[in-house]
């Protein structure tokens, strides 16, 4: 089994459970035109985030790592009329592309893009959030989740992207700083009684990776 098979299956299921979506297509096109790396969640993964947010009736969502706002659009569309999403992005150019993508999708009144190092932005935020999606630089994932535990309500959900990295996570000698960051996070969450977590490995058009899904204990 290869990446080609995984992509074909993404296409097969995508054709059946995803609706045509000009705003999401336009966002990916604008990201490419703006030179942003194509490291957004996949369409099926974006819809999973959307459905998970809807499943818990999330009205306040926090995202760490905006890029061009592709995952942001999926998540923001899950919000009720009075809902709010705050997303943190270091790179001003990424944030500018994201704001345009969000405006095109009619979400500029709902989403607040905060530019700067996420650790600093997080210090300025007031919870509680119902759901937090952690998807920025992997070296600081431990600190992002630490902040997320404080900002997400009891019973709320924290989702962390890229916790598998093509299987690299099991290599203690990996030279990949992202792998080292995820391994440090894995050791931190192993003894963390404040959350109850699982990991789901994923394959597809975005290759082999995975999500950590955690519920904040009451
Ligand atoms: N969630 C997006 C992908 C995010 S890619 C999606 O699925 O569509 C990771 C993003 O995190 C990049 O845009 C990168 O610029 C940003 N980032 C990196 N370091 C950061 C930091 N210290 N603070 C905030 N954002 C950061
Ligand atoms: C990278 C970052 C991501 O958030 C992702 O989903 C895939 C790759 C990266 O930095 O390489
Ligand atoms: Mg990611």
């Amino acid at each position: 089994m290869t990446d080609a098979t995984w992509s074909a299956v993404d296409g097969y299921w995508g054709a059946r459970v995803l609706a045509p979506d000009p705003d999401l297509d336009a966002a990916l096109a604008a990201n490419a035109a703006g030179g942003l790396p194509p490291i957004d969640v996949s369409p099926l993964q974006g819809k999973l985030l959307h459905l998970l947010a809807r499943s818990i009736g999330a009205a306040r969502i926090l995202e760490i790592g905006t890029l061009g706002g592709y995952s942001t659009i999926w998540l923001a569309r899950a919000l009720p009329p009075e809902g709010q999403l705050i997303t943190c992005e270091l790179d001003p150019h990424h944030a500018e592309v994201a704001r345009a993508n969000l405006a095109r999708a009619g979400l500029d009144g709902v989403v607040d893009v905060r530019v700067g190092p996420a650790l600093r932005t997080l210090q300025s935020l007031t919870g509680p959030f119902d759901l937090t999606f952690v998807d920025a630089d992997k070296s600081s994932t431990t600190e992002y989740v630490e902040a997320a535990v404080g900002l997400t309500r009891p019973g709320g959900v924290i989702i962390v992207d890229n916790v598998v990295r093509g299987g690299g996570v099991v290599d203690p000698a990996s030279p990949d700083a992202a792998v080292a960051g995820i391994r440090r996070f894995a050791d931190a969450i192993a003894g963390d009684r404040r959350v109850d977590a699982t990991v789901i490995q994923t394959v597809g058009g975005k290759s082999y990776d995975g999500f950590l899904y955690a519920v904040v204990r009451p």
Side-chain angles (χ1 to χ4, degrees):
M1 242 175 297
T2 64
D3 282 36
T5 309
W6 305 340
S7 291
V9 173
D10 261 12
Y12 176 89
W13 274 113
R16 286 157 178 79
V17 301
L18 301 174
D21 203 315
D23 290 332
L24 286 173
D25 292 346
L28 292 181
N31 289 359
L36 275 57
I39 56 174
D40 342 70
V41 293
S42 74
L44 288 171
Q45 291 170 350
K47 188 161 184 185
L48 176 65
L49 295 174
H50 168 88
L51 292 175
L52 291 171
R54 258 174 56 192
S55 298
I56 63 162
R60 284 196 88 212
I61 297 175
L62 172 62
E63 179 178 63
I64 306 169
T66 315
L67 191 64
Y70 183 81
S71 55
T72 321
I73 291 172
W74 275 115
L75 285 165
R77 286 175 173 172
L79 293 166
E82 299 302 303
Q84 181 197 28
L85 188 154
I86 297 176
T87 183
C88 308
E89 175 54 52
L90 176 66
D91 187 314
H93 176 56
H94 294 183
E96 184 189 344
V97 173
R99 284 188 179 120
N101 288 337
L102 289 158
R104 192 187 304 104
L107 294 164
D108 43 340
V110 176
V111 177
D112 187 353
V113 183
R114 302 279 178 96
V115 182
L119 282 175
R120 184 163 337 148
T121 302
L122 290 166
Q123 286 172 359
S124 74
L125 296 181
T126 306
F129 292 89
D130 301 297
L131 185 151
T132 300
F133 179 48
V134 179
D135 191 22
D137 55 307
K138 312 310 165 191
S139 51
S140 296
T141 296
T142 308
E143 287 70 31
Y144 296 147
V145 173
E146 182 63 29
V149 169
L151 287 167
T152 308
R153 68 166 166 83
V157 169
I158 300 171
I159 300 169
V160 183
D161 194 19
N162 309 119
V163 300
V164 173
R165 302 289 299 193
V169 71
V170 299
D171 179 7
S174 173
D176 183 344
V179 166
I182 294 299
R183 287 178 59 85
R184 185 165 69 87
F185 162 62
D187 287 343
I189 204 157
D192 196 328
R193 310 289 303 164
R194 300 169 301 172
V195 296
D196 211 9
T198 191
V199 165
I200 182 89
Q201 303 188 63
T202 59
V203 295
K206 296 288 171 168
S207 196
Y208 171 33
D209 216 315
F211 292 106
L212 179 133
Y213 184 97
V215 173
V216 180
R217 287 202 170 107

